[in-house]
Amino acid sequence: MGVVALLQRMPRDEQRHLGFLIFPGFPMACLTSAIEPLRAANEIVGRDIFSWTVIGETASRVVSSAAVGFDPDIGLQDLPGVDQLYFLSGPNGRFQSPRTGNAAIRRLARHGAGLGAFSGGIFPLARTGLMSGHKCAVHWCYEAAFKAEFPDVQASEKVICVDRQRLTAAGATAVFDLMLQLIQDRLGAEVMTEVACWFQHPFVRGEEAVQRTPALRSDRTEDMLPPPVAKAIRLFAEHVEDPIQIARVAKAVDLSTRQLDRSFRRSTGQSPLKYYRLLRMKKARQIALYSNDSITDIALAIGYASTTPLVRHYVQTFGVTPQEDRKAINRFRVRGNTPLPAV
């Protein structure tokens, strides 16, 4: 079911109320990307079709990843209801009282609220158990950590994903696109286009748009690379846990090993083997920073039989061991109201 089909249940002129549940360290850009287009739509049509509430687990101040504090309008337990509730968080966001928080979310879902998440907010939403069996948009920089923690949730590479009352967006501009879809459904394409132009947002992406990801240590994105190189990178990404030989990859893209090596070096400045190892190290770092998995588990997750080569390659890539990297980022993460990085 797409966004339009999901939202058509409500009469066009009836007000739609959205809730934004913020956790310490949430990405502020996602909140403004959600609220600003809704505000603009209301202003253009001259009436409040959209309303919103900023919610905290409690009514206490919540500090964003940009170290800007927000005072929630209401605590989660006091929220009477919303049409849709979106989680905004970094990947380490959790309820301080999981039993109470999860019960409140389940109550809202039972009463018909759609549930969603922006960027790292998919982590605390999935921790409620209400994403089991669903698919969702997961930002590429969190993908490995998400798959490791939630194997029963299908991570999508799309920028927007809608699946049975679950709406997710991977990043702040994807949030803006999702809100534009909601505006178009409620107020028509003309109003949606005017809102997009207000913010000079000319390329409106739908549910079929795929996330653009950077080619590692390159000034290009993967979709800008020659087709054989892009296909080889996709094969590398599909064989993180079960490593694939470079010769097999070359055969799969109809090149000789030497031709693949030359094409990789021209496109990325690196050999296929070095690129593949860097990709695996990036996945290892996601799991190290955004999960509590042991170093042994991390090694197995990226296809190493033991921790020794993992640690050696990790140090070569990042200059620190996984343990040191995790300890350093933990000093930056949420402790009370101190922000953690989020996208």
Side-chain angles (χ1 to χ4, degrees), residues 198-249:
W198 269 31
F199 295 95
Q200 292 299 297
H201 187 82
F203 303 108
V204 181
R205 297 171 298 175
E207 294 169 58
E208 297 307 312
V210 176
Q211 296 179 52
R212 299 183 71 180
T213 56
L216 302 179
R217 294 187 176 172
S218 170
D219 60 355
R220 302 183 183 185
T221 55
E222 287 184 3
D223 60 312
M224 298 169 61
L225 299 173
V229 175
K231 184 177 179 180
I233 290 173
R234 287 196 296 271
L235 288 170
F236 290 155
E238 292 168 1
H239 290 82
V240 171
E241 186 174 351
D242 55 331
I244 188 172
Q245 294 181 343
I246 301 299
R248 282 187 58 196
V249 173

Side-chain angles (χ1 to χ4, degrees), residues 149-161:
E149 185 173 352
F150 307 107
D152 61 337
V153 182
Q154 183 182 344
S156 170
E157 62 182 4
K158 302 295 179 62
V159 295
I160 295 170
C161 185

Side-chain angles (χ1 to χ4, degrees), residues 30-45:
C30 286
L31 183 62
T32 57
S33 289
I35 292 176
E36 282 299 297
L38 302 180
R39 174 202 55 87
N42 285 346
E43 188 170 340
I44 288 168
V45 300

Side-chain angles (χ1 to χ4, degrees), residues 77-99:
Q77 298 306 311
D78 299 320
L79 181 67
V82 289
D83 295 308
Q84 293 175 0
L85 178 71
Y86 292 97
F87 285 56
L88 287 79
S89 173
N92 296 96
R94 299 175 185 272
F95 285 121
Q96 295 178 11
S97 176
R99 178 179 296 182

Side-chain angles (χ1 to χ4, degrees), residues 162-213:
V162 180
D163 184 18
R164 292 166 291 155
Q165 288 283 82
R166 303 291 183 267
L167 298 90
T168 50
T173 56
V175 173
F176 200 101
D177 290 321
L178 179 60
M179 295 300 108
L180 288 177
Q181 290 190 45
L182 191 157
I183 291 166
Q184 179 171 344
D185 179 65
R186 279 285 160 269
L187 300 171
E190 184 177 345
V191 174
M192 182 277 289
T193 301
E194 186 168 351
V195 171
C197 290
W198 269 31
F199 295 95
Q200 292 299 297
H201 187 82
F203 303 108
V204 181
R205 297 171 298 175
E207 294 169 58
E208 297 307 312
V210 176
Q211 296 179 52
R212 299 183 71 180
T213 56

